């Protein structure tokens, strides 16, 4: 795929389980990186327990440790592959609140791109705000931050797929190796990550290399260019140290003269399947994009978008439809600004097969991206890193799926883990008048977790001495009875790590009132 635009913009700065029976979901709800690409269904008790342990494949399905079919329905959160060596957005928000919001929107898996730079000794992250947020990340290396993200994802019931996105922070590479990062380093680092998370089934697998492209080939036999052979070498190396992982293998760009998206061409699988030493661990992956990333001939076909299912069948869909193996659309995205892109996304969602009609017998997917700073697609979040693009998110409602049960409640050394003796849930609130013009006024209320355990929700209450009333409020919902106002967190800012803060704001009238005392209750 053509990533140069996105990559420049980004650098400068999941998925749900569904048993085949017993569940009725409630519907509705950099791209692959040109350079740097609600409403989950309710579930029965059985569905909530799905996804347990490590996963394996059977034909075109992915099954959990107990044999229940699961569906990856997730999101890409990028940044570890860039020069800041950590997921983006931590300059604006706490990572735990970010992951909790991903879960609340109905995504169940997070694809985490990285570069080999984060495995260099002492590699440190940049652009993390530690002022009341991300306090437990202070002083950690990039890998240690990744550990914390994986740990909280597991506690939230999210799964993680690690994606070797670039050999270094400079750019994506056409082949899986470069002069600076040879194949031996690539494989050594893959094995190191597989070993690091051995025994932690939050990390369900590794995407071996992002978007192989020309001159990469599939099945040509040239060991310097044949991605299929390289994927076998790397996949078997990963499984030699962690045989429980899924191995995700992307396509190439061209096969037998047929050109497509970077990493999006799996036509060679028919004659030259990937062979792994451990059965039931292989998942093929493709990427697909819209015109906001690049033009393709099929967008100009007079029959568009009716022609698209045939295109997808040819490039990657046949692998699923012929029951060869599961297929994961690891990246797809768009700004949605053009009508062509809107029709493309609607057709693609339909092709991926709705949860309500097909259960877990469906394509797997992770949307590009969570980040708003993907130059040619934008993200599910808007530029404030908090507000959800509900139109874009709404397109995905039919393919979201019931989620996974929460994992271990804590990881060693995390001061925010619940369950330690003496843990308390407490919060405090500070009320600040930001402007008052007589006829009205605006207020900011800062809420801080002053306890020793994470909060899942909070509410603040105050009573005015005059006749003031709230006229509008953001980042919280409220009720007012007489002079007393109670504000309750919004869905995205209820979760607060120990020491973390968030805020709400409101407008009121008339102005000129005194500042009330404010109480905060952790709930």
């Amino acid at each position: 795929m053509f990533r140069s635009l996105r990559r420049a913009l980004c650098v400068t700065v999941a998925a749900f389980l569904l048993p085949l029976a017993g569940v009725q979901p409630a519907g509705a709800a950099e791209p692959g990186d040109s350079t740097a690409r609600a409403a989950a269904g309710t579930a029965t008790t059985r569905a909530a327990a799905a996804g347990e342990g490590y996963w394996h494949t059977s034909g075109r399905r992915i099954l959990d440790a107990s044999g229940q079919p699961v569906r990856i329905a997730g999101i890409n959160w990028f940044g570890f592959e860039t020069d800041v060596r950590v997921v983006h957005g931590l300059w604006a928000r706490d990572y735990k609140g970010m992951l909790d919001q991903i879960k609340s929107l109905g995504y169940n898996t997070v694809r985490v791109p990285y570069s080999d730079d984060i495995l260099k000794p002492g590699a440190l992250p940049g652009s993390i705000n530690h002022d009341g947020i991300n306090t437990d990340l202070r002083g950690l290396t990039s890998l240690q931050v990744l550990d914390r993200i994986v740990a909280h994802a597991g506690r939230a019931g999210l799964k993680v797929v690690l994606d070797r996105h670039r050999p270094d922070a400079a750019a994506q590479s056409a082949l899986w190796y470069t002069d600076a990062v040879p194949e031996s380093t690539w494989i050594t680092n893959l094995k190191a990550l597989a070993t690091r998370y051995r025994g932690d089934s939050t990390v369900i697998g590794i995407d071996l290399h992002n978007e192989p492209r020309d001159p990469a080939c599939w099945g040509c036999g040239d060991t310097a260019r044949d991605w299929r052979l390289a994927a076998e070498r790397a996949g078997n190396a990963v499984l030699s140290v962690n045989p429980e992982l899924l191995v995700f293998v992307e396509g190439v760009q061209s096969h037998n003269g047929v050109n497509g998206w970077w990493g999006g061409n799996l036509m060679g699988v028919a004659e030259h399947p990937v062979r792994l030493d451990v059965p039931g661990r292989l998942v093929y992956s493709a990427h697909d994009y819209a015109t906001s990333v690049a033009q393709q001939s099929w967008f100009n076909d007079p029959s568009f978008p009716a022609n698209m299912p045939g295109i997808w069948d040819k490039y990657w869909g046949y692998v699923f439809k012929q029951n060869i193996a599961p297929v994961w659309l690891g990246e797809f995205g768009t700004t949605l600004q053009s009508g062509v892109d809107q029709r493309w996304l609607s057709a693609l969602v339909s092709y991926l097969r709705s949860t309500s009609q097909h259960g877990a017998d469906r394509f797997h997917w992770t949307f590009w991206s969570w980040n708003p700073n993907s130059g040619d697609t934008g993200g599910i979040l808007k530029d404030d890193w908090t507000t959800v693009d509900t139109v874009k998110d709404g397109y995905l409602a039919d393919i979201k799926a019931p989620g996974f049960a929460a994992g271990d409640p804590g990881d060693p050394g995390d001061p925010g883990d619940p369950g330690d003796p003496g843990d308390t849930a407490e919060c405090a609130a500070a009320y600040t008048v930001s402007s008052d013009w007589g006829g009205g006024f605006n207020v900011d209320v800062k809420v801080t977790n002053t306890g020793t355990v994470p909060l899942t929700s909070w509410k603040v209450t105050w009573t005015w001495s005059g006749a003031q009333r709230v006229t509008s409020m953001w980042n919280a919902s409220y009720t007012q009875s007489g002079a007393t106002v109670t504000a309750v967190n919004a869905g995205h800012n209820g979760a607060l790590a120990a020491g973390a803060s968030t805020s709400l704001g409101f407008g009121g009238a008339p102005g000129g009132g005194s500042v009330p005392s404010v109480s905060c209750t952790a709930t």
Side-chain angles (χ1 to χ4, degrees):
M1 124 151 232
F2 306 99
R3 312 290 167 100
S4 55
L5 172 62
R6 177 181 314 107
R7 209 171 275 285
L9 291 173
C10 287
V11 172
T12 58
V13 210
F16 283 3
L17 293 182
L18 184 67
L20 288 176
V23 177
Q24 181 60 44
E30 86 188 311
D33 186 330
S34 286
T35 53
R37 283 197 244 260
T42 57
T44 64
T45 301
R46 179 173 180 261
E52 187 176 355
Y54 282 104
W55 299 354
H56 60 282
T57 69
S58 176
R60 68 189 190 182
R61 299 189 301 170
I62 298 177
L63 309 176
D64 70 6
S66 63
Q68 294 189 71
V70 299
R71 185 185 204 183
I72 297 172
I75 197 81
N76 284 270
W77 185 10
F78 67 79
F80 274 106
E81 83 282 17
T82 70
D83 57 1
V84 300
R85 297 172 297 281
V86 73
V87 285
H88 286 180
L90 300 191
W91 53 77
R93 292 182 59 189
D94 187 88
Y95 74 97
K96 294 180 182 179
M98 205 92 81
L99 288 165
D100 292 343
Q101 187 181 15
I102 288 172
K103 176 62 182 263
S104 74
L105 289 172
Y107 301 99
N108 67 5
T109 299
V110 183
R111 180 175 181 255
V112 180
Y114 71 89
S115 84
D116 290 75
D117 282 353
I118 72 167
L119 287 105
K120 293 179 178 179
L124 295 173
S127 300
I128 300 179
N129 182 356
H130 299 294
D131 184 12
I133 58 176
N134 302 305
T135 54
D136 60 319
L137 304 184
R138 191 187 306 273
L140 300 186
T141 66
S142 292
L143 279 178
Q144 289 170 334
V145 172
L146 180 59
D147 292 343
R148 291 298 175 93
I149 288 172
V150 168
H152 191 76
R155 291 193 294 272
L158 294 166
K159 298 294 186 180
V160 172
V161 175
L162 301 176
D163 157 45
R164 197 279 192 140
H165 210 72
R166 305 177 184 176
D168 54 47
Q172 287 181 221
S173 60
L175 299 172
W176 53 96
Y177 62 91
T178 64
D179 291 341
V181 184
E183 178 175 308
S184 58
T185 300
W186 171 56
I187 290 179
T188 295
N189 288 341
L190 288 171
K191 290 174 66 176
L193 286 173
T195 301
R196 188 179 190 91
Y197 297 109
R198 185 169 54 205
D200 183 353
S201 60
T202 297
V203 178
I204 56 170
I206 298 180
D207 187 343
L208 297 178
H209 178 64
N210 185 65
E211 297 186 340
R213 64 182 189 272
D214 297 345
C217 63
W218 190 292
C220 67
D222 180 351
T223 55
R225 297 190 304 117
D226 193 331
W227 167 236
R228 176 256 198 161
L229 294 179
E232 291 178 351
R233 294 192 294 272
N236 286 324
V238 165
L239 294 172
S240 73
V241 296
N242 191 344
E244 306 287 353
L245 289 177
L246 295 177
V247 172
F248 296 89
V249 179
E250 297 187 26
V252 291
Q253 178 183 357
S254 302
H255 183 71
N256 289 342
V258 181
N259 188 58
W261 295 111
W262 294 358
N265 191 329
L266 289 168
M267 295 171 65
V269 170
E271 291 186 59
H272 303 286
V274 170
R275 301 155 298 184
L276 297 179
D277 295 337
V278 181
R281 293 292 180 266
L282 173 65
V283 178
Y284 290 106
S285 177
H287 292 181
D288 202 274
Y289 281 95
T291 63
S292 65
V293 174
Q295 271 289 345
Q296 298 280 12
S297 59
W298 44 79
F299 295 126
N300 298 318
D301 190 302
S303 65
F304 177 85
N307 63 319
M308 292 309 302
I311 297 292
W312 294 320
D313 282 349
K314 179 175 73 173
Y315 280 95
W316 45 269
Y318 79 93
V319 176
F320 170 85
K321 292 186 175 182
Q322 295 181 19
N323 202 36
I324 296 170
V327 174
W328 173 49
L329 194 61
E331 294 183 20
F332 63 107
T334 166
T335 61
L336 276 185
Q337 292 179 357
S338 77
V340 170
D341 286 21
Q342 293 162 20
R343 294 192 295 275
W344 166 85
L345 184 54
S346 180
L348 180 56
V349 165
S350 178
Y351 182 83
L352 294 178
R353 305 175 66 139
S354 72
T355 295
S356 59
Q357 293 183 9
H358 298 282
D361 186 28
R362 299 158 299 171
F363 292 95
H364 304 271
W365 58 273
T366 43
F367 188 73
W368 190 278
S369 63
W370 180 242
N371 309 46
N373 60 330
S374 181
D376 43 11
T377 65
I380 292 297
L381 291 185
K382 295 188 176 182
D383 288 344
D384 62 2
W385 283 93
T386 297
T387 305
V388 174
D389 185 331
T390 55
V391 174
K392 188 177 290 187
D393 181 64
Y395 271 86
L396 306 174
D398 286 346
I399 54 174
K400 292 180 181 179
F404 312 124
D408 186 290
D411 63 298
D414 186 341
D417 286 347
D420 293 333
D423 283 344
T424 57
E426 298 176 349
C427 60
Y431 180 110
T432 304
V433 178
S434 57
S435 60
D436 190 326
W437 57 94
F441 63 101
N442 287 322
V443 170
D444 294 318
V445 178
K446 182 178 180 180
V447 178
T448 301
N449 180 353
T450 56
T452 58
V453 296
L455 303 185
T456 57
S457 60
W458 48 262
K459 66 179 179 180
V460 294
T461 304
W462 65 88
T463 301
W464 281 306
S465 59
Q468 286 74 28
R469 298 196 65 81
V470 175
T471 56
S472 63
M473 183 174 289
W474 47 97
N475 292 331
S477 58
Y478 76 95
T479 58
Q480 182 167 356
S481 177
T484 300
V485 178
T486 299
V488 178
N489 62 271
H492 64 267
N493 63 357
L496 287 177
S501 298
T502 188
S503 62
L504 65 93
F506 68 87
S514 59
V515 174
S517 60
V518 182
S519 64
C520 183
T521 303
T523 59

